[in-house]
Amino acid sequence: MKELLNKFKFRNLIMVIILILLTVTEIATSFTLSNTINAMIAQNIDNFIRAIVITFVIYFIFLLITYIKILYQNKTQESMKIYLRSKIVDRLVHTDYQRYHKHKPSTYSSWLMNDVNQISSESLSPFYELLAGVVSLVISIITLLSLHWILLAYTLIALGLILFIPKLFNKAILNGSIKLTTENEAYLSKITDYLNAYDTLFAYRQLSFMQERLNKQAKKLSDVSYKYQKLMALVAVAGGFGNILGQIGVFAVTGYLVLNEELSVGSIMITTTLAGNVFNTAGNLSQYISKIQSSKPIFEKIDGIKISERSNHTDHFSNTLDNGYALENVDFSYKDDPIINDLTIKFDLAKNYAITGESGSGKSTLLNLLGGRLDNYQGSITLDGKEISGETYDRLYDNILYIDQNPHIFDGTIRENLEMGESYSDKELWIALEKVQLKDLIACNEEGLNYYIGESGRFLSGGQKQRLSIARSLLRKKKILLLDEVTSSLDHDTAVSIENILLSEEETSTIMITHNLYKETADKIDYEIKLN
């Protein structure tokens, strides 16, 4: 929170100035209204009319400043939310592969939506309420002192009592906030899981299962939210008790001073306004502070996304590789479960390799090691003589490309899915599509490369989506392709067609995991590596 406020310190300084003007005009109206009461008592019509007109003008200015304050505060909070979301995304982009996958995508979605919104509503809004209250409190106390020292003395004593009571709730509020943000993450995760399973549940006629589970999770979230709001209501009531005690006391002290002719009757209007400013702020002070502190676990969670040196942007390798991969005495374990033991092997450039073996033999682990996704191995893994665990992702992936079994297809056009933020000529895009036998299909559509393929490529078949992902990889002309069973879910003819495309690329080394070496493509495999 401190970092966020410091980042926007200039805007917050302007906010303080606006709040000072707002408080001054509010207090000014109490003085002009006091003059109207004194004029009525004195039966002075001229002074009465003058005070009413001045009061109207000041109220108009007060409302204008209030309008500016609301707009400026909202704009500032939106800017802060943009900054927070940018910070989260930046950390996700610059963390390492393994740390990123410690959480589900839906969890990060919850951070970007629910957590940022919670920070805004539960911490930023209370912060500005607190800031407004503090400004009002300081100016009001100074004004009370200018009226009479007894008013200030009583106000300070009452303030001490008000500030003490709600401190008892701070720990409970912090724990409640943690439970609420955790439950929000769980609910979003369940929503994503069951909504993605709609087709499966539809086929099995088990949509009621989704309904039951989501309703159950919603009820759980509602219960946690209700308990948190109940706690905040209790804090508000505790603060309200002290507030009432303070304001009635100031009214009584003012009455005493009026009876002793030390203040005018109209002063009651001024002290009532000032007491309201002081004790309303004090009554809500602990609640505001507790709410602001409630977001501390969220900020800690965001800062917990560690930035990896491997994700720093660096100068890339040369596109020319002299040597491929070399593994020497490589060991790798998941926790205490050894997966790869003392593996020594070389992968030469411009050669094709098939990695085979039973399930659990370490095929995917080996490919993840080659792709730099896992770096806590023992032994040595080098590419072109350089240890890959010491290289940044930018330098490593300048020459390799890892293609998953189910590559992501974006909600967008053919062009957007091929380029993914980079720039290629139309000629290059069409050549890549022609290689994967998609050119004719795309060309017959009047929108061509700008053809919208829907969310997750729903307007394409499974084979077409896989071909599109292959075209995306061929477009980048990498020296080494790492393929994680990219054809295992496709029919025989489509699988053979795609493997032929990949294994026929000149000057490209293909290293692929497969459970089934097709006879139609087996002659293009230079070496088979069978893991036990």
Side-chain angles (χ1 to χ4, degrees):
M1 185 72 174
K2 184 178 180 181
E3 174 198 347
L4 187 62
L5 297 177
N6 186 59
K7 179 73 177 178
F8 291 87
K9 59 185 176 183
F10 179 73
R11 293 188 67 90
N12 288 324
L13 178 61
I14 295 176
M15 192 70 187
V16 170
I17 295 172
I18 293 173
L19 292 173
I20 290 174
L21 293 174
L22 197 62
T23 301
V24 169
T25 53
E26 180 188 18
I27 293 175
T29 59
S30 69
F31 275 90
T32 57
L33 288 173
S34 171
N35 290 336
T36 63
I37 294 174
N38 291 332
M40 284 188 290
I41 293 172
Q43 295 187 337
N44 188 324
I45 187 77
D46 292 337
N47 287 346
F48 176 78
I49 294 174
R50 186 182 301 109
I52 288 292
V53 171
I54 294 174
T55 300
F56 177 80
V57 172
I58 296 175
Y59 261 126
F60 178 79
I61 296 173
F62 172 79
L63 292 175
L64 179 61
I65 297 174
T66 299
Y67 176 74
I68 295 172
K69 178 253 183 186
I70 292 172
L71 293 183
Y72 195 80
Q73 179 180 328
N74 286 339
K75 180 63 177 177
T76 300
Q77 284 187 228
E78 288 302 319
S79 298
M80 288 180 170
K81 287 164 70 176
I82 291 173
Y83 171 77
L84 281 173
R85 288 182 172 127
S86 297
K87 179 179 178 179
I88 294 171
V89 172
D90 181 69
R91 284 180 171 266
L92 291 178
V93 166
H94 290 97
T95 193
D96 64 49
Y97 182 86
Q98 293 177 73
R99 284 199 186 102
Y100 176 86
H101 284 283
K102 283 184 177 180
H103 300 286
K104 298 178 182 178
S106 60
T107 298
Y108 294 128
S109 298
S110 179
W111 293 10
L112 288 163
M113 286 296 297
N114 295 335
D115 286 5
V116 171
N117 286 335
Q118 185 174 337
I119 287 173
S120 179
S121 62
E122 296 296 323
S123 288
L124 294 180
S125 291
F127 169 76
Y128 286 113
E129 292 294 332
L130 175 64
L131 187 61
V134 169
V135 169
S136 179
L137 187 148
V138 171
I139 295 176
S140 296
I141 286 178
I142 294 172
T143 308
L144 281 170
L145 178 61
S146 70
L147 292 173
H148 203 287
W149 69 269
I150 293 179
L151 288 168
L152 178 62
Y154 177 83
T155 299
L156 294 178
I157 292 171
L159 270 177
L161 178 62
I162 292 173
L163 296 177
F164 172 75
I165 296 174
K167 285 185 178 180
L168 303 172
F169 300 95
N170 284 351
K171 184 176 181 181
I173 290 175
L174 185 60
N175 291 334
S177 175
I178 294 173
K179 289 180 181 178
L180 184 59
T181 186
T182 301
E183 205 56 49
N184 270 321
E185 290 177 8
Y187 182 54
L188 186 58
S189 177
K190 289 293 183 183
I191 290 174
T192 304
D193 187 23
Y194 285 101
L195 292 183
N196 284 339
Y198 177 86
D199 286 355
T200 300
L201 295 171
F202 179 86
Y204 282 84
R205 306 312 301 148
Q206 287 295 319
L207 291 173
S208 58
F209 175 68
M210 175 176 72
Q211 184 178 23
E212 174 192 344
R213 290 302 177 90
L214 291 184
N215 287 344
K216 182 179 180 181
Q217 197 69 33
K219 176 64 167 56
K220 189 176 179 182
L221 174 60
S222 177
D223 290 343
V224 172
S225 178
Y226 175 74
K227 288 180 180 178
Y228 179 71
Q229 296 304 326
K230 183 179 177 181
L231 177 62
M232 296 309 296
L234 188 59
V235 174
V237 169
F241 173 76
N243 191 338
I244 293 172
L245 182 65
Q247 293 197 51
I248 291 177
V250 168
F251 182 84
V253 172
T254 304
Y256 170 79
L257 294 172
V258 169
L259 291 173
N260 283 274
E261 298 183 352
E262 295 187 48
L263 291 176
S264 68
V265 175
S267 298
I268 292 177
M269 180 65 70
I270 302 173
T271 58
T272 299
T273 299
L274 297 176
N277 290 345
V278 171
F279 295 112
N280 282 335
T281 297
N284 294 320
L285 190 62
S286 292
Q287 184 179 1
Y288 291 149
I289 293 175
S290 296
K291 280 192 171 185
I292 293 168
Q293 292 176 339
S294 71
S295 291
K296 183 179 178 182
I298 300 178
F299 283 108
E300 290 176 346
K301 185 167 57 177
I302 293 172
D303 292 334
I305 309 173
K306 300 300 182 183
I307 294 176
S308 169
E309 291 183 2
R310 298 196 69 190
S311 294
N312 291 336
H313 294 298
T314 58
D315 293 333
H316 290 208
F317 275 130
S318 166
N319 276 328
T320 300
L321 289 180
D322 295 324
N323 298 285
Y325 283 106
L327 286 74
E328 294 184 13
N329 309 118
V330 174
D331 295 318
F332 183 83
S333 300
Y334 283 115
K335 296 183 179 179
D336 296 327
D337 184 18
I339 304 298
I340 293 178
N341 296 302
D342 197 28
L343 180 63
T344 297
I345 193 171
K346 287 187 177 182
F347 294 90
D348 294 326
L349 295 176
K351 300 290 184 181
N352 294 325
Y353 295 83
I355 302 174
T356 62
E358 298 296 326
S359 179
S361 59
K363 300 186 299 298
S364 293
T365 299
L366 175 57
L367 209 66
N368 280 323
L369 288 169
L370 297 178
R373 297 184 173 190
L374 303 173
D375 55 15
N376 50 332
Y377 57 85
Q378 302 295 318
S380 174
I381 304 177
T382 62
L383 176 62
D384 202 23
K386 299 178 178 66
E387 195 70 33
I388 64 172
S389 62
E391 294 294 345
T392 65
Y393 293 133
D394 276 355
R395 286 171 61 84
L396 180 60
Y397 276 79
D398 197 45
N399 285 293
I400 71 171
L401 191 63
Y402 193 112
I403 306 177
D404 292 295
Q405 181 178 353
N406 297 303
H408 186 77
I409 301 297
F410 294 92
D411 180 7
T413 65
I414 294 291
R415 183 190 300 276
E416 290 168 340
N417 271 277
L418 289 174
E419 292 186 333
M420 291 199 307
E422 296 182 309
S423 181
Y424 295 92
S425 67
D426 285 5
K427 180 180 179 181
E428 290 175 302
L429 298 179
W430 284 117
I431 289 174
L433 290 171
E434 185 175 23
K435 285 183 178 180
V436 297
Q437 300 171 16
L438 278 180
K439 180 180 179 181
D440 292 341
L441 174 69
I442 305 303
C444 71
N445 189 293
E446 62 180 14
E447 295 176 335
L449 294 170
N450 295 318
Y451 171 56
Y452 173 68
I453 57 177
E455 184 180 3
S456 299
R458 61 189 177 91
F459 295 147
L460 301 178
S461 68
Q464 290 168 344
K465 286 191 285 187
Q466 191 66 282
R467 287 171 185 269
L468 181 62
S469 73
I470 299 300
R472 184 162 63 194
S473 65
L474 297 179
L475 191 62
R476 282 150 176 84
K477 299 177 181 178
K478 300 296 184 180
K479 295 294 183 181
I480 300 173
L481 295 180
L482 306 176
L483 312 179
D484 188 1
E485 300 188 75
V486 296
T487 61
S488 63
S489 60
L490 303 177
D491 64 83
H492 176 272
D493 292 341
T494 303
V496 169
S497 175
I498 288 178
E499 285 191 9
N500 268 318
I501 294 168
L502 293 168
L503 296 172
S504 298
E505 281 295 297
E506 296 181 1
E507 299 182 1
T508 298
S509 176
T510 300
I511 304 173
M512 70 177 192
I513 294 175
T514 181
H515 278 100
N516 183 21
L517 276 174
Y518 297 109
K519 61 181 181 180
E520 294 92 337
T521 58
D523 62 329
K524 292 184 173 62
I525 299 294
D526 295 297
Y527 300 99
E528 178 183 355
I529 300 171
K530 191 167 185 178
L531 300 180
N532 299 318

